[in-house]
Amino acid sequence: MILVGAFLPWLYTPLGNFTGMNGPGMWTATVGMLALAGAIVPLRMLAIGQALITAGVCLVIPVWQFWHMFSQVGMAGWMPGPGLLLTFVGGLLCGIAAWQLWTLEAAEA
């Protein structure tokens, strides 16, 4: 979700659509790759760390982007796009995955 969200429009304006790759989407795409690597790493604590880093970046950047635009012009003339939402929800899911890995009990063999 994070990687796809980085390439989709983050803002719809009368001047055109602005994708995440025109700005902070490069950061979210980078940590999206980190999340992908964390999904296949066999070390639990490393996977938790990667998920937390990804969740932090992908939750803060879309909220900041929305708040920044809202504080500049209000809601006149622009609308948040699907990329902003996909990135935020992907960060939320990474945070949930980190919490589930942290609270996971060791399986007895």
Side-chain angles (χ1 to χ4, degrees):
M1 290 177 73
I2 295 167
L3 288 172
V4 171
F7 291 98
L8 290 176
W10 279 33
L11 299 172
Y12 292 124
T13 67
L15 300 175
N17 301 336
F18 293 98
T19 65
M21 294 308 281
N22 288 341
M26 287 196 252
W27 287 94
T28 59
T30 302
V31 295
M33 292 302 293
L34 181 69
L36 186 61
I40 59 174
V41 72
L43 302 171
R44 189 172 111 189
M45 293 308 285
L46 186 58
I48 291 170
Q50 288 174 311
L52 285 175
I53 291 169
T54 302
V57 170
C58 290
L59 289 174
V60 169
I61 289 180
V63 168
W64 174 83
Q65 183 76 39
F66 178 83
W67 186 256
H68 180 71
M69 285 300 295
F70 184 75
S71 66
Q72 295 289 321
V73 293
M75 290 300 287
W78 71 278
M79 187 172 76
L84 202 64
L85 182 64
L86 274 175
T87 303
F88 181 79
V89 173
L92 188 64
L93 290 176
C94 280
I96 291 170
W99 176 254
Q100 288 177 344
L101 281 171
W102 181 261
T103 59
L104 181 69
E105 294 181 14
E108 295 184 30

